[in-house]
Amino acid sequence: MTGRHLKGFALRVGAVLALLAGILVGAFGAAGTAQAASSLPCDIYATAGTPCAAAHSTTRALYATYNGALYQVKRASDSTTLDIGVLAAGGYANAAAQDSFCSGTTCVITKIYDQSSNHNDLTIEGPGGNGGQDVGAIANALPVTVGGHAAYGVFVSPGVGYRDNSTTGIATGSAPEGTYMVASGHHVNNRCCFDYGNAETSGNDTGNGHMDALNFGTECWFSCSGTGSGPWVEADLENGLFFGANGSYSGNTGISSEYVTAMLKNNGTTTYALKGGNAQSGSLTTFYNGALPNLGGYTPMQKEGAIVLGTGGDNSNGSDGSFFEGVMTTGYPTDATDNAVQANVTSVGYTTPAATFPVAGTAYRLTNVNSGKVLDAVNCGTANGTAIDQWASLGNTCQQWKFTSAGNGHYTITNVNSGTTLDSVNCAQSNGTALDLWASLGNLCQEWDVTHVGSHYTITNVGNGMAIDVKNCGTANGVAVRQWQQLDNTCQQWDIAP
């Protein structure tokens, strides 16, 4: 290496270190409060020579100068749309604009704008090789505080997905790239595939090495021996979720902090790396850094350059996940750059607003918004296997339910009359899976996510990710209540009150 090249290399390294130092000062300055740094993730990547090819977030700007729209919402009452921007250049989402626009109705996120000059905007995904038409995420389902400001993430449940099949500047073939996202370590499941990154342009599985996407969840494609219970930062390289090496890798022990920074780097010909860290504090852990799989098709990679969020490359859309921000880069980022981005992420202070529902020990009635009927244990049954339907309110304990925390933001739901637990029958994972009452088993089939939708709620099974749904939107007494992928309609929304 010549003296001139050494000097240039030193200047580039110095620039990254200077950025990192500036971020740390900005994050932990005299005020002691989290605030936006002067250099944001895409500024950090650009300075290091690996600029953002796409940058998506519903919570904040990812460039210090960005002053455009972050995402678009559509309200159910009149199908009108509104772009949600930032409060100031380089700042945080204007959540108040969404709250005002969506007041009294339901909104869904219809577009997530690319903040880079490539305009690789994500819209609701169409049918693919392994999934039908997707729906948008409910816009207020994932409240978050970031930089001291209210904002909303993207709440992915089965049937939710976003995609751009006609991109500009995204890596294709064996070109190198890096990807990171901030996700929830608690809102996960074991179904395919909560991905963000490079995918097929056709929406079909076109073979090994045609994807290069981050995956985060508890799905174990290969052996999980010695890796714990997850969730794990994995690489979806198509036809496999890779912990490292050829798929199974004991060094990838997972990360379950409330907020997670997940990273994937792939040089396209020989090497890939997986990293993860607590998005609220601390540094990154390298879970794998080594050779690409030698299983055929992965060396070299055959990337196609579409972008997917919330599903697999063929629209496998059974996953749960929460997305707050993420980027894809041109080129293979350095470890110093990764560390600088992690420092910026932790500096902004992702936190979860305090929940006001449910109150432990309180008995609630669950009233379907579409039918006006309440969730009911058929014939006041008390035996295991008692079916669930809807019925006009009778004022009895067969129609009352108590919520108990199961940890990680999940709940068990117990019928007051029988003392048995609301249960997903046989832990099935298909649309139409029945509900019943069963003695407590302590498993995910009896745990539920309760999510705000305006003034209403959706209730989603943790084990299979599907929502509690009134069959065919029926309004009569005795209509079965079962599970279905998210449809964004009032047949899956409930009023919950004592």
Side-chain angles (χ1 to χ4, degrees), residues 41-224:
C42 286
D43 306 309
I44 295 169
Y45 282 119
T47 299
T50 52
C52 291
H56 303 102
S57 177
T58 58
T59 62
R60 64 170 181 144
L62 299 174
Y63 294 84
T65 59
Y66 188 75
N67 199 25
L70 298 178
Y71 62 104
Q72 181 187 85
V73 297
K74 181 171 73 172
R75 60 188 176 196
S77 59
D78 59 5
S79 295
T80 302
T81 61
L82 178 71
D83 286 345
I84 306 300
V86 291
L87 295 168
Y92 302 99
N94 186 355
Q98 174 183 311
D99 293 339
S100 176
F101 180 75
C102 300
S103 178
T105 187
T106 301
C107 281
V108 298
I109 297 173
T110 48
K111 183 182 292 186
I112 305 170
Y113 289 101
D114 176 14
Q115 299 177 32
S116 84
S117 60
N118 291 327
H119 303 294
N120 295 316
D121 303 333
L122 299 176
T123 56
I124 296 173
E125 188 168 359
N130 198 36
Q133 174 65 49
D134 289 326
V135 297
I138 296 170
N140 68 342
L142 188 56
V144 64
T145 301
V146 57
H149 298 272
Y152 295 100
V154 183
F155 189 88
V156 173
S157 58
V160 172
Y162 297 87
R163 199 179 191 106
D164 184 358
N165 285 332
S166 301
T167 62
T168 299
I170 301 300
T172 58
S174 61
E177 69 179 342
T179 306
Y180 92 85
M181 69 173 167
V182 175
S184 167
H186 296 167
H187 179 221
V188 294
N189 72 354
N190 62 355
R191 299 185 66 189
C192 186
C193 289
F194 181 60
D195 287 352
Y196 172 66
N198 200 318
E200 295 96 337
T201 56
S202 65
N204 296 298
D205 179 349
T206 53
N208 294 357
H210 285 248
M211 289 188 67
D212 182 32
L214 263 172
N215 176 272
F216 188 69
T218 55
E219 185 175 8
C220 184
W221 188 284
F222 301 96
S223 170
C224 296

Side-chain angles (χ1 to χ4, degrees), residues 363-453:
Y364 293 93
R365 297 194 197 294
L366 281 61
T367 305
N368 186 258
V369 173
N370 178 66
S371 67
K373 302 295 195 300
V374 301
L375 192 71
D376 172 89
V378 171
N379 296 325
C380 287
T382 59
N384 284 342
T386 295
I388 304 298
D389 66 0
Q390 66 172 10
W391 203 274
S393 179
L394 300 172
N396 62 29
T397 56
C398 311
Q399 297 179 340
Q400 291 182 331
W401 308 84
K402 290 185 179 182
F403 294 76
T404 303
S405 174
N408 287 344
H410 307 149
Y411 298 91
T412 57
I413 303 175
T414 303
N415 185 258
V416 173
N417 179 64
S418 66
T420 51
T421 302
L422 188 66
D423 173 90
S424 175
V425 172
N426 296 325
C427 293
Q429 297 189 339
S430 58
N431 283 335
T433 293
L435 297 172
D436 66 1
L437 295 177
W438 204 271
S440 178
L441 299 172
N443 61 27
L444 296 182
C445 313
Q446 296 183 339
E447 293 185 13
W448 304 88
D449 285 323
V450 182
T451 306
H452 250 121
V453 182

